Amino acid sequence: MMLFTEVRGLPVLPQAAAGPLGTVASLTVDVATGRVSHVRLRRRFRFRFRFRKETVLSWEAVQAVGPGAVRLRSAGALDQVPPGHDMLGRQVLTDAGAGHGTVLDVAFVPETGRILAVFTTRGEVVAGRLLGLGDHALVVRAD
């Protein structure tokens, strides 16, 4: 088990011995499948006048996630996908409209990307209760 906060900021390393492609900015979750679907990374350009750019990698491109880095199967797996929603810091609402705090962290299985639990300011929410994630909130099934 790993936490999203442990992965954020890790270097993303290609399979070859080249330098890092960037650092993990966030993980995108497909709530319908209960899995991490993409890794969003912040890339750095060599020129000072350029800004950082965010790139998205499919979870299938990830070979291993460890405490020191995210290693890729292939460096050519950059995706162009619609914007994702970062779960960390997102408000949590039940399907009945009641507030359930704010997301503090998410536990997942690094080998598969399967979500185990979401930790909120009001307690733990098991992955089976996740219903949707949008601009405003993470929606979960009421107890």
Side-chain angles (χ1 to χ4, degrees):
M1 177 186 87
M2 263 187 114
L3 300 173
F4 277 23
T5 55
E6 294 174 321
V7 177
R8 185 180 270 180
L10 288 178
V12 178
L13 305 173
Q15 192 175 28
L21 295 175
T23 58
V24 176
S26 65
L27 299 175
T28 301
V29 173
D30 178 1
V31 175
T33 63
R35 296 186 181 280
V36 175
S37 62
H38 292 85
V39 177
R40 294 185 176 280
L41 63 116
R42 210 168 275 120
R43 296 180 72 180
R44 294 188 183 183
F45 291 97
R46 297 175 195 247
F47 303 106
R48 285 186 289 151
F49 62 88
R50 298 233 107 157
F51 295 103
R52 293 181 189 183
K53 181 179 179 185
E54 195 170 274
T55 304
V56 180
L57 297 165
S58 172
W59 184 256
E60 284 74 36
V62 175
Q63 179 179 12
V65 178
V70 173
R71 297 202 175 273
L72 303 177
R73 294 183 207 289
S74 64
L78 302 178
D79 273 356
Q80 296 300 324
V81 297
H85 303 290
D86 191 356
M87 286 182 79
L88 298 179
R90 186 76 54 204
Q91 181 180 2
V92 182
L93 297 173
T94 68
D95 53 353
H100 197 281
T102 304
V103 176
L104 297 172
D105 219 333
V106 180
F108 73 105
V109 178
E111 295 81 14
T112 64
R114 185 172 58 92
I115 302 300
L116 299 172
V118 176
F119 302 107
T120 75
T121 54
R122 296 183 74 196
E124 181 179 333
V125 177
V126 294
R129 289 182 50 204
L130 303 181
L131 294 175
L133 178 63
D135 290 334
H136 179 67
L138 170 65
V139 180
V140 299
R141 194 171 15 263
D143 291 327

